[in-house]
């Protein structure tokens, strides 16, 4: 119907015409500079590969010891899960909960969600549920803080460098892998392509099976209420 | 530069320039454009089933409330001790500032600056920045719109980095556990500090950047 596709800038509400973008280029809003599109080649395949790698490495990265500090013959080591338990054991429940959510639970949930979305896109089976899942992924996005934790590990190492001998354990290398997989999957995900593909596949499915898509609430309780209440 | 921007901004035609004026709105999650219904400002997105609003409802109120909450929490977070060190039976408490001063005295300026930025400058900059934007919307200051949007994007990006100090303390609690000789644990400010991080992040989420641009009639229209 529309020969030129109309889009709105999500950050300044400017009305714009969609224009084509090449892979590796970015489409910016002329008024506020928001990124409106940044296509990535083979985005679905890349995201699928990275999230499956991330899921495989998740358990060793979180539960195996990261570092061992050796001070005058006494050794102490710990994993990311231990750092959460230590806060709980010293009765810092709120802080512990924050660490649990941002460094342990949400990174996992994000990987699982993105894996399911990419897998269902890859196999062509996405439905409206995939769309809801992908939306929840955006909700959780900034609450997963693995890269902040990584800098935290580096600060800890530097802080202890002259007080104790620092040994790097298996968990440390697994954690770097997990971080790379998480950051890579987020960077290589072409949001626009994902949404368009999910919508296309879900529409095809709904048409085939005769399911109604999610709709706006029926207009019967909309405008009349205003006009009838106002008039005697 | 400015002329070019205006050219692109009006290439849609003489008609409405923003979605709000055109009777269109965009789904905040999947960016699908849907039409507003004149009786209702909210509808369901046909693509991802989210509720779509022309502007986020109650954005200014929520953001003010959350920014003021974080401003209040900022004081105990910085003034109370955040870390407790037990060394050979004696207890020592240190605040965030003590930790930073320690690094500067030791000569590790790089790491001192990293912690100073993440734990002190970032929260202060976030709170001040969001308040400035909110005030500029309230008084309808029509200048520096693009810069304000860029500043907000930067605030959104840096928000999570304040958790750095909490992660360091959590790791030190586990790793510095040499029995009687030395142990480290968190102290009361940690809870307040988490509160600051959460409330500033939520303030950035509840804020709607389009409100910055609503303060102005687009420049090409003013000229007419
Ligand atoms: Zn824009
Ligand atoms: Zn949507």
């Amino acid at each position: 119907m529309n020969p030129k596709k109309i889009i709105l800038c999500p950050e300044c509400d400017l009305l714009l015409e969609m224009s084509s973008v090449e892979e590796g280029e970015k489409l910016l809003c002329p008024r506020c500079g928001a990124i409106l599109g940044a296509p990535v080649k083979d985005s679905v395949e890349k995201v699928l590969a990275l999230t499956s790698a991330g899921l495989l490495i998740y358990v060793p990265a979180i539960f195996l010891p990261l570092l061992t500090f050796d001070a005058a013959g006494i050794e102490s080591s710990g994993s990311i899960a231990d750092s959460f338990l230590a806060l709980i054991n010293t009765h810092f429940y709120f802080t512990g909960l924050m660490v649990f959510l941002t460094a342990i639970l949400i990174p996992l949930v994000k990987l699982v969600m993105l894996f399911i979305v990419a897998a269902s896109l890859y196999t062509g089976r996405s439905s409206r549920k995939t769309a809801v899942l992908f939306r929840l992924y955006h909700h959780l996005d900034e609450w997963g803080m693995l890269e902040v934790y990584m800098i935290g590990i580096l600060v800890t190492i530097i802080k202890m460098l002259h007080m104790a001998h620092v040994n790097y354990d298996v968990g440390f290398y697994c954690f770097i892998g997990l971080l790379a997989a998480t950051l890579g999957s987020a960077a290589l995900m072409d949001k626009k392509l994902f949404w368009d593909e999910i919508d296309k596949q879900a529409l095809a499915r709904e048409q085939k099976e005769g399911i109604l898509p999610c709709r706006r609430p029926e207009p019967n309780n909309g405008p009349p209420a205003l006009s009838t209440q106002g008039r005697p | 530069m400015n002329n070019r921007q205006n050219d692109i901004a009006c290439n849609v035609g003489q008609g409405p320039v923003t979605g709000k004026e055109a009777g269109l709105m965009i789904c905040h999650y999947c960016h699908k454009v849907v039409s507003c219904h004149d009786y209702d400002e909210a509808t369901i997105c046909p693509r991802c089933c989210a509720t779509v609003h022309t502007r986020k409802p109650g954005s200014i109120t929520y953001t003010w409330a959350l920014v003021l909450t974080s401003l209040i929490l900022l004081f105990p977070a910085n003034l109370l001790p955040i870390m407790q060190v037990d060394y050979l039976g004696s207890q020592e408490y240190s605040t965030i500032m003590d930790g930073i001063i320690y690094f500067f005295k030791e000569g590790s300026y790089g790491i001192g600056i990293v912690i100073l930025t993440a734990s002190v400058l970032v929260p202060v900059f976030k709170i001040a920045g969001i308040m400035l934007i909110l005030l500029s919307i309230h008084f309808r200051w029509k200048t520096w719109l693009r810069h304000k949007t860029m500043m907000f994007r930067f605030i959104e990006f840096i928000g999570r980095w304040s958790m750095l100090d909490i992660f360091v303390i959590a790791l030190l609690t586990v790793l510095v556990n040499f029995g009687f000789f030395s142990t480290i644990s968190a102290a009361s400010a940690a809870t307040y500090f988490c509160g600051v991080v959460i409330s500033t992040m939520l303030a950035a989420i509840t804020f709607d950047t389009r409100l910055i641009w609503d303060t102005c009639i687009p420049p090409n229209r003013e000229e007419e």
Side-chain angles (χ1 to χ4, degrees):
Chain A
M1 273 187 283
N2 273 338
K4 280 170 184 169
K5 203 183 162 214
I6 293 288
I7 56 164
L8 297 178
C9 171
E11 291 186 33
C12 72
D13 209 26
L14 184 69
L15 197 67
L16 293 159
E17 275 168 14
M18 190 66 195
S19 60
S20 59
V21 226
E22 298 285 311
E23 275 152 7
E25 283 181 347
K26 274 181 186 171
L27 197 65
L28 299 179
C29 169
R31 188 163 78 161
C32 74
I35 298 168
L36 301 173
V40 181
K41 198 170 177 248
D42 301 328
S43 180
V44 176
E45 288 84 352
K46 282 176 184 164
V47 169
L48 190 60
L50 280 168
T51 45
S52 20
L55 286 173
L56 285 175
I57 215 169
Y58 176 82
V59 172
I62 301 293
F63 294 99
L64 287 186
L66 287 168
L67 305 164
T68 304
F69 283 173
D70 184 341
I74 309 170
E75 285 188 356
S76 74
S77 68
S79 62
I80 293 175
D82 290 334
S83 73
F84 149 66
L85 289 174
L87 286 172
I88 297 295
N89 288 337
T90 49
H91 309 292
F92 283 91
Y93 299 110
F94 185 67
T95 316
L97 183 72
M98 260 309 264
V99 172
F100 175 68
L101 289 176
T102 57
I104 300 174
L105 185 65
I106 292 178
L108 175 67
V109 173
K110 269 177 66 184
L111 273 179
V112 171
M113 280 178 163
L114 202 53
F115 176 76
I116 295 173
V117 169
S120 63
L121 276 178
Y122 187 71
T123 54
R125 283 184 201 175
S126 50
S127 64
R128 221 38 88 182
K129 280 180 189 141
T130 321
V132 174
L133 202 64
F134 195 44
R135 172 157 61 82
L136 292 177
Y137 171 84
H138 290 307
H139 271 295
L140 289 181
D141 198 16
E142 57 190 323
W143 296 95
M145 303 186 187
L146 287 182
E147 67 272 40
V148 184
Y149 206 101
M150 184 72 225
I151 303 295
I153 295 174
L154 296 181
V155 170
T156 311
I157 293 171
I158 295 168
K159 212 165 180 165
M160 293 306 292
L161 214 48
H162 61 280
M163 284 188 245
H165 185 74
V166 181
N167 289 313
Y168 300 92
D169 295 329
V170 192
F172 183 73
Y173 300 104
C174 292
F175 185 74
I176 293 176
L178 176 66
L179 179 67
T182 308
L183 292 182
S185 63
L188 294 173
M189 179 187 63
D190 181 351
K191 248 167 101 172
K192 199 173 167 331
L193 174 91
F194 268 59
W195 278 118
D196 288 345
E197 281 297 308
I198 290 174
D199 201 31
K200 210 190 285 171
Q201 291 181 8
L203 271 179
R205 194 190 171 120
E206 277 155 4
Q207 270 170 3
K208 204 172 74 187
E209 295 176 9
I211 316 164
L212 289 170
C214 47
R215 284 177 306 163
R216 61 189 172 82
E218 289 303 318
N220 58 6
N221 50 6
L226 265 176
S227 50
T228 45
Q229 269 178 1
R231 280 167 205 163
Chain B
M1 181 67 192
N2 223 0
N3 268 335
R4 210 183 116 255
Q5 278 172 20
N6 288 347
D7 283 349
I8 310 169
C10 26
N11 73 351
V12 179
Q14 267 72 49
V17 180
T18 65
K20 198 180 184 182
E21 293 165 278
L24 295 170
M25 49 190 177
I26 185 171
C27 170
H28 207 76
Y29 300 100
C30 72
H31 295 181
K32 189 179 176 64
V33 178
V34 291
S35 61
C36 307
H37 302 278
D38 46 358
Y39 59 87
D40 197 358
E41 287 228 311
T43 187
I44 301 283
C45 171
R47 186 148 77 172
C48 70
C49 310
T51 314
V52 190
H53 302 277
T54 329
R55 299 288 178 267
K56 290 182 190 171
S59 174
I60 299 277
T61 321
Y62 284 129
T63 312
W64 264 123
L66 287 161
V67 165
L68 293 178
T69 309
S70 48
L71 185 65
I72 294 166
L73 289 174
L74 196 63
F75 289 96
N78 279 290
L79 299 175
L80 291 176
I82 197 162
M83 199 165 76
Q84 177 192 343
V85 183
D86 292 350
Y87 183 71
L88 294 172
S90 71
Q91 286 187 347
E92 201 179 290
Y93 290 92
S94 65
T95 62
I96 294 175
M97 231 29 225
D98 293 337
I100 295 162
I101 292 166
Y102 167 81
F103 275 118
F104 277 103
K105 274 187 184 161
E106 288 285 310
S108 6
Y109 296 106
I111 209 81
I113 289 168
V114 168
I115 300 187
L116 179 72
T117 313
S119 327
V120 182
L121 299 183
V122 165
V124 171
F125 178 75
K126 276 178 77 174
I127 294 171
I130 294 179
M131 282 173 82
L132 182 74
I133 290 173
L134 286 171
L135 286 175
S136 84
I137 290 172
H138 186 260
F139 294 109
R140 302 185 74 85
W141 294 330
K142 296 173 187 175
T143 46
W144 301 96
L145 296 174
R146 200 182 162 96
H147 296 86
K148 273 185 262 181
T149 316
M150 276 157 65
M151 182 171 85
F152 183 78
R153 239 172 255 149
F154 182 64
I155 287 172
E156 255 183 330
F157 169 76
I158 58 172
R160 37 227 294 291
W161 288 93
S162 316
M163 276 298 280
L164 183 66
D165 225 34
I166 299 290
F167 289 149
V168 172
I169 290 165
L171 272 169
L172 285 175
T173 313
V174 183
L175 294 174
V176 182
N177 194 358
F178 305 117
F180 172 74
F181 292 103
S182 161
T183 51
I184 291 180
S185 66
S188 47
T191 309
Y192 296 106
F193 199 78
C194 280
V196 174
V197 179
I198 294 175
S199 51
T200 49
M201 280 180 73
L202 286 176
I205 291 172
T206 55
F207 182 70
D208 194 330
T209 44
R210 290 169 291 190
L211 295 171
I212 299 175
W213 295 88
D214 281 349
T215 53
C216 84
I217 308 160
N220 56 318
R221 288 251 211 121
E222 264 178 347
E223 284 160 22
E224 282 170 14

